[in-house]
Amino acid sequence: MGLHVGIIMDGNGRWAQARGLMRTQGHREGLQAAKQIVKAASGMGIDFLTLYVFSTENWKRTVEEVGFIMDLVRQYLKAEFSFCRENHIRVRHAGDLSKLPPDVAKDIAEVCKDTEMFAGMQVILALNYGGRDEIVRAVNKALAGIAGASSASGRAIEINENVITKHLDNPDVPDPDLIIRTAGEYRTSNFLLWESAYAEYYISDKLWPDWTSADLAEAVESFQKRERRFGAVNSAIDEAGAPL
Ligand code: IPE
Ligand code: IPE
Ligand code: MG
């Protein structure tokens, strides 16, 4: 199976400010970078690409900025269908659709449905996404199921990790292998909290609008050199008893 890469696309505002432009211009450029990265990713062994487009906390920004980002999303969703068809890209969504402007929610649901049969790379748009929010929604979905099941069977049913995983937004998508954050910030900002338990992190100082396919290739190359242990002892060095 190919890789699942998640990207916290940060730095649009700083990119614009550095040029004396409005923050919104940074988002416009950021969209261009995102398009390029999607194009490049499928050729790099990436089967799943999760893009952090808009967080549950980003509503705290001005009405103008939020409105501009939603407009970009509307345009992007309408314009990219033929690209998805040509490249067999399946688009999916993570986050709470119910709190998005109704037309945006409808467009997202439509593009997810229209690309459902494409068997190439999956691009997961994290839009109105928060890791905590996803976990809370998953637990509530699980509880609703459990209430029914336990009253039918007369037994109490417990929540465990599998139950939560099964009720996440995209339960069949494997956990991310690599999470990239641009613009030099060392934090998750509520991205894929549950799923990233064993993800490798890669922080790039470059601002998102400056990102190119070469930067993605470098990040993937760096990831491939890492040793992932998942809590176990699995290298020849460890087994030989060398000090860690
Ligand atoms: C990331 O860029 C895009 C979104 C969060 C929507 P920012 O807008 O956060 O850019 P900076 O961090 O202010 O530079
Ligand atoms: C994270 O970036 C969200 C997205 C990239 C969509 P933010 O810019 O919102 O994160 P903070 O506020 O710096 O933590
Ligand atoms: Mg930011």
mmCIF file of all heavy atoms in Angstrom, residues 152-177:
data_model
loop_
_atom_site.group_PDB
_atom_site.id
_atom_site.type_symbol
_atom_site.label_atom_id
_atom_site.label_comp_id
_atom_site.label_asym_id
_atom_site.label_seq_id
_atom_site.Cartn_x
_atom_site.Cartn_y
_atom_site.Cartn_z
ATOM 1 N N ALA A 152 -30.881 -3.921 22.910
ATOM 2 C CA ALA A 152 -31.355 -5.130 22.219
ATOM 3 C C ALA A 152 -30.780 -6.395 22.866
ATOM 4 O O ALA A 152 -31.468 -7.390 23.015
ATOM 5 C CB ALA A 152 -30.973 -5.072 20.739
ATOM 6 N N SER A 153 -29.504 -6.315 23.261
ATOM 7 C CA SER A 153 -28.845 -7.543 23.758
ATOM 8 C C SER A 153 -28.900 -7.655 25.286
ATOM 9 O O SER A 153 -28.614 -8.700 25.842
ATOM 10 C CB SER A 153 -27.382 -7.574 23.318
ATOM 11 O OG SER A 153 -26.653 -6.591 24.043
ATOM 12 N N GLY A 154 -29.233 -6.528 25.944
ATOM 13 C CA GLY A 154 -29.272 -6.531 27.401
ATOM 14 C C GLY A 154 -27.894 -6.497 28.039
ATOM 15 O O GLY A 154 -27.773 -6.581 29.255
ATOM 16 N N ARG A 155 -26.844 -6.375 27.213
ATOM 17 C CA ARG A 155 -25.480 -6.331 27.758
ATOM 18 C C ARG A 155 -24.933 -4.921 27.619
ATOM 19 O O ARG A 155 -25.252 -4.212 26.666
ATOM 20 C CB ARG A 155 -24.541 -7.257 26.959
ATOM 21 C CG ARG A 155 -24.797 -8.725 27.186
ATOM 22 C CD ARG A 155 -23.748 -9.566 26.469
ATOM 23 N NE ARG A 155 -23.759 -9.434 25.022
ATOM 24 C CZ ARG A 155 -22.728 -9.014 24.287
ATOM 25 N NH1 ARG A 155 -21.604 -8.649 24.845
ATOM 26 N NH2 ARG A 155 -22.831 -8.952 22.974
ATOM 27 N N ALA A 156 -24.073 -4.516 28.545
ATOM 28 C CA ALA A 156 -23.396 -3.226 28.407
ATOM 29 C C ALA A 156 -22.252 -3.402 27.390
ATOM 30 O O ALA A 156 -21.568 -4.418 27.412
ATOM 31 C CB ALA A 156 -22.834 -2.806 29.753
ATOM 32 N N ILE A 157 -22.119 -2.448 26.505
ATOM 33 C CA ILE A 157 -21.032 -2.537 25.527
ATOM 34 C C ILE A 157 -20.072 -1.381 25.760
ATOM 35 O O ILE A 157 -20.503 -0.238 25.928
ATOM 36 C CB ILE A 157 -21.588 -2.519 24.086
ATOM 37 C CG1 ILE A 157 -22.501 -3.741 23.896
ATOM 38 C CG2 ILE A 157 -20.456 -2.545 23.067
ATOM 39 C CD1 ILE A 157 -23.276 -3.731 22.603
ATOM 40 N N GLU A 158 -18.780 -1.694 25.797
ATOM 41 C CA GLU A 158 -17.774 -0.670 26.095
ATOM 42 C C GLU A 158 -17.229 -0.011 24.842
ATOM 43 O O GLU A 158 -17.157 -0.620 23.796
ATOM 44 C CB GLU A 158 -16.591 -1.341 26.799
ATOM 45 C CG GLU A 158 -16.777 -1.490 28.266
ATOM 46 C CD GLU A 158 -15.490 -1.940 28.935
ATOM 47 O OE1 GLU A 158 -14.500 -2.221 28.232
ATOM 48 O OE2 GLU A 158 -15.496 -2.009 30.169
ATOM 49 N N ILE A 159 -16.781 1.228 25.022
ATOM 50 C CA ILE A 159 -16.049 1.917 23.956
ATOM 51 C C ILE A 159 -14.607 1.413 24.020
ATOM 52 O O ILE A 159 -14.016 1.343 25.091
ATOM 53 C CB ILE A 159 -16.041 3.439 24.235
ATOM 54 C CG1 ILE A 159 -17.450 4.013 24.181
ATOM 55 C CG2 ILE A 159 -15.083 4.155 23.316
ATOM 56 C CD1 ILE A 159 -17.787 4.871 23.023
ATOM 57 N N ASN A 160 -14.035 1.045 22.875
ATOM 58 C CA ASN A 160 -12.604 0.749 22.841
ATOM 59 C C ASN A 160 -11.997 1.444 21.616
ATOM 60 O O ASN A 160 -12.712 2.138 20.882
ATOM 61 C CB ASN A 160 -12.357 -0.767 22.853
ATOM 62 C CG ASN A 160 -13.037 -1.460 21.682
ATOM 63 O OD1 ASN A 160 -13.160 -0.870 20.598
ATOM 64 N ND2 ASN A 160 -13.510 -2.674 21.898
ATOM 65 N N GLU A 161 -10.726 1.273 21.388
ATOM 66 C CA GLU A 161 -10.073 1.987 20.281
ATOM 67 C C GLU A 161 -10.709 1.642 18.939
ATOM 68 O O GLU A 161 -10.887 2.508 18.083
ATOM 69 C CB GLU A 161 -8.570 1.670 20.256
ATOM 70 C CG GLU A 161 -7.840 2.323 21.412
ATOM 71 C CD GLU A 161 -6.329 2.262 21.278
ATOM 72 O OE1 GLU A 161 -5.806 1.938 20.188
ATOM 73 O OE2 GLU A 161 -5.657 2.536 22.285
ATOM 74 N N ASN A 162 -11.017 0.357 18.744
ATOM 75 C CA ASN A 162 -11.615 -0.038 17.461
ATOM 76 C C ASN A 162 -12.955 0.643 17.222
ATOM 77 O O ASN A 162 -13.270 1.036 16.099
ATOM 78 C CB ASN A 162 -11.827 -1.558 17.405
ATOM 79 C CG ASN A 162 -10.511 -2.253 17.199
ATOM 80 O OD1 ASN A 162 -9.550 -1.660 16.694
ATOM 81 N ND2 ASN A 162 -10.446 -3.512 17.604
ATOM 82 N N VAL A 163 -13.728 0.788 18.293
ATOM 83 C CA VAL A 163 -15.049 1.413 18.155
ATOM 84 C C VAL A 163 -14.880 2.862 17.694
ATOM 85 O O VAL A 163 -15.562 3.332 16.782
ATOM 86 C CB VAL A 163 -15.833 1.343 19.490
ATOM 87 C CG1 VAL A 163 -17.088 2.187 19.437
ATOM 88 C CG2 VAL A 163 -16.167 -0.102 19.830
ATOM 89 N N ILE A 164 -13.930 3.562 18.314
ATOM 90 C CA ILE A 164 -13.718 4.964 17.921
ATOM 91 C C ILE A 164 -13.204 5.037 16.486
ATOM 92 O O ILE A 164 -13.727 5.791 15.659
ATOM 93 C CB ILE A 164 -12.780 5.674 18.916
ATOM 94 C CG1 ILE A 164 -13.491 5.780 20.278
ATOM 95 C CG2 ILE A 164 -12.388 7.067 18.388
ATOM 96 C CD1 ILE A 164 -12.754 6.555 21.328
ATOM 97 N N THR A 165 -12.190 4.231 16.170
ATOM 98 C CA THR A 165 -11.612 4.244 14.822
ATOM 99 C C THR A 165 -12.698 4.021 13.765
ATOM 100 O O THR A 165 -12.720 4.692 12.739
ATOM 101 C CB THR A 165 -10.520 3.160 14.705
ATOM 102 O OG1 THR A 165 -9.545 3.421 15.709
ATOM 103 C CG2 THR A 165 -9.850 3.190 13.347
ATOM 104 N N LYS A 166 -13.578 3.093 14.061
ATOM 105 C CA LYS A 166 -14.638 2.740 13.100
ATOM 106 C C LYS A 166 -15.617 3.893 12.848
ATOM 107 O O LYS A 166 -16.293 3.925 11.833
ATOM 108 C CB LYS A 166 -15.434 1.575 13.710
ATOM 109 C CG LYS A 166 -15.753 0.483 12.759
ATOM 110 C CD LYS A 166 -16.267 -0.750 13.475
ATOM 111 C CE LYS A 166 -17.570 -0.491 14.232
ATOM 112 N NZ LYS A 166 -17.977 -1.658 15.034
ATOM 113 N N HIS A 167 -15.695 4.833 13.786
ATOM 114 C CA HIS A 167 -16.655 5.927 13.624
ATOM 115 C C HIS A 167 -16.002 7.250 13.241
ATOM 116 O O HIS A 167 -16.656 8.303 13.258
ATOM 117 C CB HIS A 167 -17.487 6.093 14.906
ATOM 118 C CG HIS A 167 -18.428 4.945 15.118
ATOM 119 N ND1 HIS A 167 -18.075 3.824 15.832
ATOM 120 C CD2 HIS A 167 -19.687 4.727 14.662
ATOM 121 C CE1 HIS A 167 -19.092 2.975 15.838
ATOM 122 N NE2 HIS A 167 -20.082 3.503 15.132
ATOM 123 N N LEU A 168 -14.733 7.219 12.894
ATOM 124 C CA LEU A 168 -14.080 8.447 12.423
ATOM 125 C C LEU A 168 -14.656 8.825 11.059
ATOM 126 O O LEU A 168 -15.419 8.062 10.462
ATOM 127 C CB LEU A 168 -12.562 8.235 12.331
ATOM 128 C CG LEU A 168 -11.847 8.000 13.676
ATOM 129 C CD1 LEU A 168 -10.386 7.637 13.435
ATOM 130 C CD2 LEU A 168 -11.945 9.224 14.582
ATOM 131 N N ASP A 169 -14.262 9.995 10.546
ATOM 132 C CA ASP A 169 -14.882 10.474 9.306
ATOM 133 C C ASP A 169 -14.600 9.553 8.116
ATOM 134 O O ASP A 169 -15.457 9.359 7.266
ATOM 135 C CB ASP A 169 -14.401 11.904 8.994
ATOM 136 C CG ASP A 169 -14.985 12.908 9.987
ATOM 137 O OD1 ASP A 169 -15.994 12.568 10.646
ATOM 138 O OD2 ASP A 169 -14.433 14.016 10.112
ATOM 139 N N ASN A 170 -13.390 9.010 8.029
ATOM 140 C CA ASN A 170 -13.055 8.115 6.911
ATOM 141 C C ASN A 170 -12.385 6.858 7.452
ATOM 142 O O ASN A 170 -11.174 6.688 7.342
ATOM 143 C CB ASN A 170 -12.120 8.831 5.921
ATOM 144 C CG ASN A 170 -12.804 10.002 5.251
ATOM 145 O OD1 ASN A 170 -13.736 9.821 4.470
ATOM 146 N ND2 ASN A 170 -12.372 11.216 5.577
ATOM 147 N N PRO A 171 -13.197 5.987 8.049
ATOM 148 C CA PRO A 171 -12.629 4.849 8.797
ATOM 149 C C PRO A 171 -11.786 3.909 7.949
ATOM 150 O O PRO A 171 -10.920 3.215 8.475
ATOM 151 C CB PRO A 171 -13.859 4.127 9.351
ATOM 152 C CG PRO A 171 -15.031 4.709 8.680
ATOM 153 C CD PRO A 171 -14.670 6.018 8.118
ATOM 154 N N ASP A 172 -12.026 3.873 6.646
ATOM 155 C CA ASP A 172 -11.265 2.949 5.803
ATOM 156 C C ASP A 172 -9.935 3.544 5.337
ATOM 157 O O ASP A 172 -9.141 2.861 4.702
ATOM 158 C CB ASP A 172 -12.101 2.543 4.590
ATOM 159 C CG ASP A 172 -12.548 3.764 3.801
ATOM 160 O OD1 ASP A 172 -13.094 4.715 4.422
ATOM 161 O OD2 ASP A 172 -12.327 3.800 2.585
ATOM 162 N N VAL A 173 -9.692 4.814 5.618
ATOM 163 C CA VAL A 173 -8.414 5.438 5.219
ATOM 164 C C VAL A 173 -7.355 5.097 6.274
ATOM 165 O O VAL A 173 -7.586 5.294 7.466
ATOM 166 C CB VAL A 173 -8.571 6.973 5.081
ATOM 167 C CG1 VAL A 173 -7.230 7.651 4.877
ATOM 168 C CG2 VAL A 173 -9.524 7.307 3.941
ATOM 169 N N PRO A 174 -6.209 4.561 5.836
ATOM 170 C CA PRO A 174 -5.190 4.205 6.827
ATOM 171 C C PRO A 174 -4.646 5.434 7.551
ATOM 172 O O PRO A 174 -4.742 6.557 7.040
ATOM 173 C CB PRO A 174 -4.088 3.539 5.994
ATOM 174 C CG PRO A 174 -4.327 3.971 4.587
ATOM 175 C CD PRO A 174 -5.782 4.273 4.454
ATOM 176 N N ASP A 175 -4.074 5.229 8.714
ATOM 177 C CA ASP A 175 -3.469 6.341 9.458
ATOM 178 C C ASP A 175 -2.386 7.019 8.611
ATOM 179 O O ASP A 175 -1.719 6.359 7.816
ATOM 180 C CB ASP A 175 -2.809 5.810 10.735
ATOM 181 C CG ASP A 175 -3.830 5.494 11.819
ATOM 182 O OD1 ASP A 175 -5.001 5.904 11.689
ATOM 183 O OD2 ASP A 175 -3.443 4.826 12.793
ATOM 184 N N PRO A 176 -2.187 8.316 8.807
ATOM 185 C CA PRO A 176 -1.138 8.993 8.034
ATOM 186 C C PRO A 176 0.252 8.471 8.403
ATOM 187 O O PRO A 176 0.529 8.199 9.569
ATOM 188 C CB PRO A 176 -1.287 10.465 8.429
ATOM 189 C CG PRO A 176 -1.987 10.449 9.738
ATOM 190 C CD PRO A 176 -2.881 9.243 9.719
ATOM 191 N N ASP A 177 1.085 8.314 7.390
ATOM 192 C CA ASP A 177 2.475 7.909 7.615
ATOM 193 C C ASP A 177 3.326 9.140 7.888
ATOM 194 O O ASP A 177 4.223 9.129 8.719
ATOM 195 C CB ASP A 177 3.015 7.192 6.368
ATOM 196 C CG ASP A 177 2.207 5.961 6.045
ATOM 197 O OD1 ASP A 177 2.324 4.986 6.789
ATOM 198 O OD2 ASP A 177 1.426 5.995 5.065
#
